[in-house]
């Protein structure tokens, strides 16, 4: 099979497209002919060899990155019902990794792709969508909220904006660059702003005309997070859902106490409760199949995984990045 392999930590061009032996399905496993494979920003961090305290442990090299894979079952291992052959499936955890034409997955970590849902959408929802479901469970948004979403044009951010609108909240989406801001407007946000522009937080205050932000769902980090935090009204909530800038931000404890703000790292909550993952995955796939949440996908050929990583690091992608063999 063809796969993308990392032999040495470093820049994106260290990802090479080469031939590897076909994986074999073991007991309780199926093999998937991959039609779509998900890419995560954290994988660019790991590729550089920088766990940064927030990324998973670095893999042993050589390594095939990726976990999410969607495709067609083309082989089953011992003890697996042959009826699985030919089924369209998706998994959040594949081996040796999703950046390949073939991948193996445990039957217990498999979902059938719902009718009407494409492989790219399915591979987006099984992890990015499931993560979004978990984050939203923590955030508990209501129609009374004024919600500010940072990194709103990203894979998670877009889904959060859609959900917040569906519950009747006032939604402000902040993203970087004119194209991404336009994409946020396209989702139906009440306000979309470019947080690369000076004074964007002042613009939000002006447009809210006396109303205050009650919830910030922050997916970016750094100075942009500090500006977003400054918009939260008394008694509001600050919820961490990502860190796309790789820059840290810690709210000032004095301001948190003074303004009675609840600070929650929703990502850590999810990490601490892995047992909730399968249910989040099921709900996410179901929501996409029903059209309740519509993922945005930007595809790259599998052979161009290095270009996909480089584009993500330059913040030039919109929505979920997916590799297509």
């Amino acid at each position: 099979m063809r796969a993308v392999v990392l032999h040495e930590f470093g820049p994106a061009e260290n990802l090479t497209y080469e031939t590897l032996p076909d994986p074999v399905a073991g007991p309780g496993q199926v093999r998937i002919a991959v039609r779509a494979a998900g890419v995560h920003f954290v994988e660019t961090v790991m590729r550089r060899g920088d766990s940064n305290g927030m990324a998973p442990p670095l893999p042993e090299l050589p390594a095939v990155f990726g976990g999410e894979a969607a495709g067609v079952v083309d082989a089953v291992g011992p003890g697996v019902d042959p009826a699985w052959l030919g089924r369209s499936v998706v998994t959040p955890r594949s081996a040796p990794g999703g950046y390949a034409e073939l991948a193996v997955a445990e039957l217990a970590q498999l979902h059938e792709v719902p009718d009407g849902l494409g492989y790219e959408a399915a591979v987006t929802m099984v992890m990015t969508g499931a993560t979004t479901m978990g984050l939203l469970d923590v955030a508990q948004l209501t129609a009374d909220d004024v919600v500010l979403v940072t990194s709103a044009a990203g894979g998670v951010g877009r889904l959060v904006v859609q959900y917040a609108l569906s519950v009747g909240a006032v939604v402000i989406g902040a993203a970087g660059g004119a194209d991404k801001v336009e994409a946020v407007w396209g989702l139906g946000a009440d306000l979309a702003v470019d947080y690369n522009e000076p004074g964007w937080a002042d613009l939000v205050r002006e447009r809210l005309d006396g109303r205050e932000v009650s919830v910030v769902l922050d997916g970016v980090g750094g100075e942009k997070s500090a500006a977003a935090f400054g918009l939260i009204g008394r008694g509001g909530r600050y919820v961490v859902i990502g860190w796309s800038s790789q820059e840290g931000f810690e709210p000032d404890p004095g301001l948190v106490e003074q303004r009675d703000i609840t600070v929650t790292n929703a990502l850590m909550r999810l990490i601490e409760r892995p047992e909730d993952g399968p249910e989040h995955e099921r709900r996410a796939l179901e929501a996409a199949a029903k059209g309740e949440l519509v993922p945005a996908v930007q595809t790259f050929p599998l052979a161009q995984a290095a270009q996909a990583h480089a584009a993500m690091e330059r913040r030039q992608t919109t929505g979920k990045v997916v590799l297509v063999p």
Side-chain angles (χ1 to χ4, degrees), residues 6 8-15 44-49 313:
L6 182 72
E8 182 180 357
F9 295 118
E13 54 264 32
N14 284 13
L15 293 170
T44 70
V45 179
M46 296 167 66
R47 187 211 68 234
R48 295 195 300 269
E313 290 174 303

Side-chain angles (χ1 to χ4, degrees), residues 172-251:
I172 305 151
D179 289 345
K180 292 186 177 182
V181 170
E182 187 64 28
V184 177
W185 279 120
L187 294 172
D190 297 283
L191 175 63
V193 295
D194 186 344
Y195 56 22
N196 288 338
E197 294 292 332
W200 70 270
D202 292 331
L203 175 62
V204 172
R205 288 190 184 92
E206 177 186 328
R207 295 293 178 86
L208 286 177
D209 193 25
R211 295 195 68 178
E212 293 183 315
V213 171
S214 60
V215 187
V216 167
L217 292 161
D218 181 29
V220 62
E223 292 183 0
K224 297 178 177 69
S225 294
F229 179 80
L231 290 166
I232 303 175
R234 183 171 181 81
R237 292 115 70 199
Y238 174 75
V239 183
V240 178
I241 64 171
W243 56 291
S244 61
S245 73
Q246 298 184 73
E247 299 172 6
F249 169 68
E250 292 291 338

Side-chain angles (χ1 to χ4, degrees), residues 9-29:
F9 295 118
E13 54 264 32
N14 284 13
L15 293 170
T16 59
Y17 187 56
E18 54 193 72
T19 300
L20 294 180
D22 292 352
V24 176
Q29 296 180 330

Side-chain angles (χ1 to χ4, degrees), residues 1-20 47 61-65 99-100 301-307 309 323:
M1 70 173 181
R2 301 290 282 174
V4 177
V5 185
L6 182 72
H7 291 276
E8 182 180 357
F9 295 118
E13 54 264 32
N14 284 13
L15 293 170
T16 59
Y17 187 56
E18 54 193 72
T19 300
L20 294 180
R47 187 211 68 234
L61 300 182
V64 177
F65 276 16
Y99 295 16
L302 178 63
Q304 295 180 13
Q307 291 92 320
H309 270 228
L323 302 177

Side-chain angles (χ1 to χ4, degrees), residues 254-274:
L255 288 176
V256 170
E257 182 177 1
Q258 178 185 345
R259 290 155 57 187
D260 191 27
I261 294 173
T262 301
V263 177
T264 306
N265 189 325
L267 278 179
M268 289 305 300
R269 289 267 191 99
L270 297 188
I271 291 170
E272 292 166 357
R273 292 189 57 84

Side-chain angles (χ1 to χ4, degrees), residues 128-182:
T128 298
T131 298
T132 303
M133 289 297 183
L135 299 174
L136 291 169
D137 285 350
V138 174
Q140 292 290 298
L141 302 180
T142 74
D144 295 327
D145 281 317
V146 177
V147 181
L148 169 60
V149 184
T150 67
S151 201
V156 170
R158 281 173 171 256
L159 297 175
V160 169
V161 168
Q162 292 176 55
Y163 179 85
L165 289 168
S166 75
V167 301
V170 173
V171 182
I172 305 151
D179 289 345
K180 292 186 177 182
V181 170
E182 187 64 28

